[in-house]
Amino acid sequence: VNQILLLLLVLTVCAILYNKVHQVPLALKNETVDLESPEEMEEEIPVVICAAAGRMGAAVAAISSIYSNTEANVLFYIVGLKTTIPHIRKWIENSKLKEIKFKVVEFNPMVLKGKIRQDASRPELLQPLNFVRFYLPLLIQKHEKVIYLDDDVIVQGDIQELYDTKLAPGHAAAFSDDCDLPSTHEMIRSVGMQNTYMGFLDYRKQAIRDLGISPSTCSFNPGVIVANMTEWKHQRITKQLEKWMQRNVEENLYSSTLGGGVATSPMLIVFHGKYSSINPMWHIRHLGWSPDARYSEQFLQEAKLLHWNGRYKPWDYPSVHTDLWENWFIPDPSGKFKLTRPDS
């Protein structure tokens, strides 16, 4: 009897051990599934776009194009003045853009007091929101890397690609060189555009000559910026830009009669030799410089981002390649913003 009981005990212990050993992989598997089941939080891609009075349709079209062409976790920072914010908010909330993630940020134009030289030749360039790009760290608090876009752009590629632009150590920003794409050179020559520092700075002034920058140095376009906020703050970029704005008020070092760059010129000075490059196809520009000069359709289809910098905007008339822009435009539910077309 004792031997039988002992045998039963041994068999029972063996059975328990067998079950435990064979349940371990299942337990580990369940644990692994539990660990992997919550989706990893995607990195937010902050995109800053201004919504100015009279051209909010531009911001809406830009946002629409970005949102429609990416699966990335984009957070739009829509910057406006106090008087324009209610309009842009209603436009978004009452259109198909209501699904986007966005924050509306009010820009206080008082920060520009005494820093802008009045210039009657192109007064639209003196609008406060044109200088938002100078103050990115004040508007965007929690992000290390930020994309800034002018409102007159359309994004045809995945914004994640642009966000993944590598910035060299010590560089606070990446821009597109105005000499970077041979296919744009003919356009530049045909409409007499400037693509060197000579076109933006007044080299007759001693303060400009003292910079030691060759006037034939290729300029860059700050309508598309990938910025590193840590470096921007560390190098006090905003303070440097403000210093050159104030010097321009006192000495008239640059003006809109040159390259049309009242916001571009101080950036050319501050970032000279200290910026990384954006892939040229991520900033095909000059679409707004002439109502006649056009790129080939194939070239434009391959472009990742189109920029109508210049006087001739795609929501106005005359302008070129408006069909590409209108693909992403969403009509204003309030009816305040209307496209200007030949038959309107």
Side-chain angles (χ1 to χ4, degrees), residues 42-299:
E42 291 179 275
E43 184 177 13
E44 269 185 348
I45 298 180
V47 176
V48 179
I49 294 179
C50 295
R55 48 193 289 164
M56 284 191 199
V60 167
I63 292 168
S64 171
S65 69
I66 294 166
Y67 181 65
S68 300
N69 287 307
T70 187
E71 296 295 326
N73 182 21
V74 180
L75 173 58
F76 292 97
Y77 283 86
I78 303 169
V79 186
L81 302 181
K82 188 174 184 178
T83 54
T84 61
I85 284 175
H87 186 186
I88 191 67
R89 187 185 293 279
K90 286 181 182 177
W91 196 332
I92 289 171
E93 291 175 349
N94 291 285
S95 72
K96 65 181 182 181
L97 289 181
K98 62 187 175 185
E99 303 297 329
I100 69 170
K101 289 173 60 179
F102 74 100
K103 293 183 179 180
V104 175
V105 182
E106 181 183 341
F107 182 68
N108 185 354
M110 289 305 294
V111 301
L112 301 172
K113 188 175 181 180
K115 302 182 183 74
I116 300 178
R117 184 183 184 87
Q118 294 306 310
D119 193 329
S121 59
R122 288 195 67 186
E124 76 275 12
L125 296 175
L126 303 179
Q127 295 302 313
L129 295 181
N130 203 29
F131 300 91
V132 161
R133 71 198 91 190
F134 290 12
Y135 297 95
L136 292 176
L138 301 182
L139 300 168
I140 312 300
Q141 302 294 334
K142 66 173 186 173
H143 300 283
E144 168 75 8
K145 198 175 187 181
V146 172
I147 293 173
Y148 167 87
L149 298 177
D150 276 354
D151 60 0
D152 52 355
V153 306
I154 287 297
V155 174
Q156 300 185 137
D158 186 340
I159 198 73
Q160 180 77 54
E161 262 184 62
L162 180 60
Y163 186 74
D164 290 340
T165 298
K166 301 295 183 186
L167 273 67
H171 286 178
F175 305 99
S176 295
D177 285 314
D178 284 330
C179 311
D180 59 6
L181 205 58
S183 47
T184 65
H185 294 174
E186 184 179 342
M187 169 79 82
I188 290 171
R189 285 192 298 270
S190 68
V191 297
M193 285 180 292
Q194 296 289 346
N195 65 350
T196 65
Y197 273 57
M198 175 67 85
F200 292 89
L201 305 178
D202 188 348
Y203 276 83
R204 295 171 299 180
K205 302 295 172 66
Q206 188 62 44
I208 297 300
R209 294 198 298 272
D210 287 346
L211 291 170
I213 302 172
S214 168
S216 62
T217 301
C218 185
S219 55
F220 59 80
N221 187 299
V224 177
I225 307 172
V226 181
N228 180 307
M229 293 293 92
T230 300
E231 281 295 336
W232 193 291
K233 288 182 278 192
H234 175 70
Q235 296 179 33
R236 297 170 63 84
I237 296 294
T238 297
K239 289 294 182 187
Q240 292 187 58
L241 292 167
E242 288 184 325
K243 181 190 84 170
W244 283 103
M245 291 169 75
Q246 288 169 329
R247 288 199 67 174
N248 182 57
V249 170
E250 298 161 5
E251 304 173 50
N252 195 20
L253 304 177
Y254 51 85
S255 75
S256 60
T257 56
L258 292 170
V262 290
T264 298
S265 299
M267 298 195 87
L268 291 176
I269 295 171
V270 170
F271 283 100
H272 174 252
K274 296 184 292 185
Y275 66 91
S276 299
S277 294
I278 289 172
N279 180 330
M281 296 306 287
W282 266 100
H283 196 175
I284 303 304
R285 45 212 179 275
H286 314 314
L287 278 76
W289 273 83
S290 166
D292 304 309
R294 302 175 67 93
Y295 288 110
S296 75
E297 291 301 322
Q298 181 181 351
F299 177 67

